[in-house]
Amino acid sequence: TIANNIRIGKLTISGDVATFAKAPHSNSTFSYWQQFAQTTIGEIRFLPASLGISGAGVYTSYCNGPFKDSRVGKLNISEQVEDIPAYCFKEMYLDQDVLVLHTKTIGNSAFQGANISIDTLAIGAELESFGYATSGSLNYFQQFGDMKIGKLKYCPKEAQTGTACYKGVFETAQIGALEIDSAVKQIPNYLFYNAKMELADFTLNV
């Protein structure tokens, strides 16, 4: 679906939804999903424990995710969600007070976008790994790339990334305040690589 005249008050992606399929006209340079592209949505309720997104493992120069340019009033991710797939909410329009994530994995570029603004983003202790896409020997994370984040609360105890990186988890994201939970035992490689931060106060106890 690509239509800027479609409006949905509340969109529920139920637990029965298994996969977002890549469009057949995608190629080695362009990847298209765009299931809800340019749609105006009052609220998204995202419920699948582990939604698949086809063809997301290899990096392409241009990628239009399922909610490309959609305008969303509120994003609600269920605590039952274990995996947020790559590109899922990339480049949507969202301005939200609080977003709390209790997932085990977050795919590459899942929330990437300069038009996503979160006052408080909390990443829960449940998180185990950040996914990435590859291009040759380069790894692209960019889960929260380009975002605006007022305050980041980071709670994962020992989340993993990898040993190679070209674009970091918070690549060029703007972070106003950072809180690392006292239970965190390890900060993963490349987590804040190339992020933009000016912190008035910061305490590290890892």
Side-chain angles (χ1 to χ4, degrees), residues 4-200:
N4 55 19
N5 59 349
I6 294 179
R7 296 176 179 271
I8 302 172
K10 180 182 289 186
L11 171 65
T12 300
I13 309 295
S14 79
D16 295 327
V17 178
T19 305
F20 284 155
K22 184 187 283 190
H25 58 280
S26 300
N27 53 48
S28 59
T29 303
F30 297 90
S31 292
Y32 303 99
W33 286 276
Q34 297 179 285
Q35 278 78 4
F36 302 96
Q38 299 181 15
T39 302
T40 299
I41 305 168
E43 178 182 355
I44 296 174
R45 296 177 66 242
F46 188 82
L47 307 180
S50 186
L51 177 72
I53 186 161
S54 63
V58 178
Y59 178 82
T60 53
S61 300
Y62 300 94
C63 169
N64 291 349
F67 292 92
K68 166 76 172 175
D69 291 335
S70 62
R71 297 182 179 274
V72 178
K74 182 179 181 180
L75 175 61
N76 185 347
I77 297 177
S78 169
E79 291 188 18
Q80 306 304 312
V81 174
E82 297 184 352
D83 307 303
I84 298 176
Y87 309 116
C88 191
F89 304 108
K90 182 183 179 185
E91 294 179 334
M92 64 163 47
Y93 286 79
L94 177 68
D95 189 343
Q96 186 160 315
D97 290 338
V98 179
L99 180 63
V100 181
L101 305 176
H102 292 285
T103 61
K104 292 182 178 179
T105 64
I106 303 175
N108 60 284
S109 299
F111 297 93
Q112 181 186 359
N115 294 309
I116 299 178
S117 179
I118 306 294
D119 288 346
T120 300
L121 172 64
I123 302 176
E126 301 88 345
L127 189 76
E128 298 174 356
S129 64
F130 294 99
Y132 57 85
T134 60
S135 177
S137 60
L138 304 177
N139 292 342
Y140 295 77
F141 293 92
Q142 297 176 280
Q143 275 77 4
F144 306 99
D146 308 323
M147 281 180 59
K148 299 177 183 69
I149 303 167
K151 182 176 184 179
L152 171 63
K153 295 183 178 180
Y154 184 84
C155 302
K157 294 181 179 180
E158 297 183 82
Q160 301 296 311
T161 49
T163 58
C165 173
Y166 183 63
K167 301 285 187 178
V169 174
F170 289 91
E171 180 79 15
T172 69
Q174 299 177 38
I175 302 172
L178 174 61
E179 179 182 307
I180 305 291
D181 190 80
S182 59
V184 174
K185 296 180 179 179
Q186 172 182 304
I187 295 176
N189 297 333
Y190 319 116
L191 183 65
F192 299 113
Y193 177 73
N194 211 26
K196 298 178 180 179
M197 289 189 282
E198 291 187 14
L199 306 178

